[in-house]
Amino acid sequence: MQATRFPKDTFAAVKLLLGHPSSHPQSALHQSLFSNAPATTPRGSPALASSGASYAVEEVLAMQFGYAKEMAEDTAGESVRDAVVTVPSWFGQTERQAVLDALDLAGLKSIGLVNDGTAGASFAVEKGERRAELMRCEHDEQPRSTTP
């Protein structure tokens, strides 16, 4: 609902801009796809302008991490300080550093950055092992004898 009511205050596809200068082709692609007014930070990186202010891309990502942190803390009922973040496998060192900077701005400590595909495969393997573990457990809990 936010995106349809306030499209100029909604930031989409931020990862296209991470770790690139404003002159990079990714910035031009982002500008052609989305309605946010382009802006540039003093260090030459792209920024996203809303009706009220202009934010560096890392700041926008930090806001998203901060929101995820709040949701995790509400769900867990305890403080969240550490994070493992998945990133696209095509991210280079500059994009990964931008993600780390955003984590730092959000008050989170990075335990690691994991490629999306690796994380998915790891999750599938873990689920498979868990399923096998549950099957073993169910098999082991069968009655040993039928005598009363």
Side-chain angles (χ1 to χ4, degrees), residues 12-90:
V14 175
K15 69 181 174 184
L16 287 174
L17 302 173
L18 279 173
H20 297 297
S22 293
S23 59
H24 195 275
Q26 297 270 54
S27 295
L29 173 65
H30 191 275
Q31 289 172 18
S32 69
L33 295 173
F34 303 103
S35 62
N36 299 100
T40 304
T41 64
R43 64 177 198 267
S45 64
L48 298 171
S50 70
S51 59
S54 179
Y55 302 100
V57 176
E58 294 85 2
E59 289 176 315
V60 173
L61 188 58
M63 289 178 208
Q64 292 174 346
F65 285 145
Y67 181 67
K69 177 184 174 186
E70 287 175 17
M71 288 192 312
E73 288 175 341
D74 290 344
T75 302
E78 59 185 59
S79 177
V80 174
R81 294 180 302 275
D82 303 328
V84 176
V85 178
T86 61
V87 294
S89 57
W90 50 267

Side-chain angles (χ1 to χ4, degrees), residues 135-145:
M135 289 172 63
R136 263 194 315 271
C137 185
E138 289 169 3
H139 175 70
D140 290 344
E141 290 174 1
Q142 292 178 356
R144 301 271 182 229
S145 69

Side-chain angles (χ1 to χ4, degrees), residues 68-118:
K69 177 184 174 186
E70 287 175 17
M71 288 192 312
E73 288 175 341
D74 290 344
T75 302
E78 59 185 59
S79 177
V80 174
R81 294 180 302 275
D82 303 328
V84 176
V85 178
T86 61
V87 294
S89 57
W90 50 267
F91 264 22
Q93 189 60 36
T94 56
E95 291 96 338
R96 290 171 188 269
Q97 186 58 52
V99 171
L100 292 172
D101 292 344
L103 281 169
D104 191 40
L105 286 172
L108 291 166
K109 178 182 160 206
S110 172
I111 295 176
L113 299 178
V114 182
N115 288 343
D116 286 339
T118 305

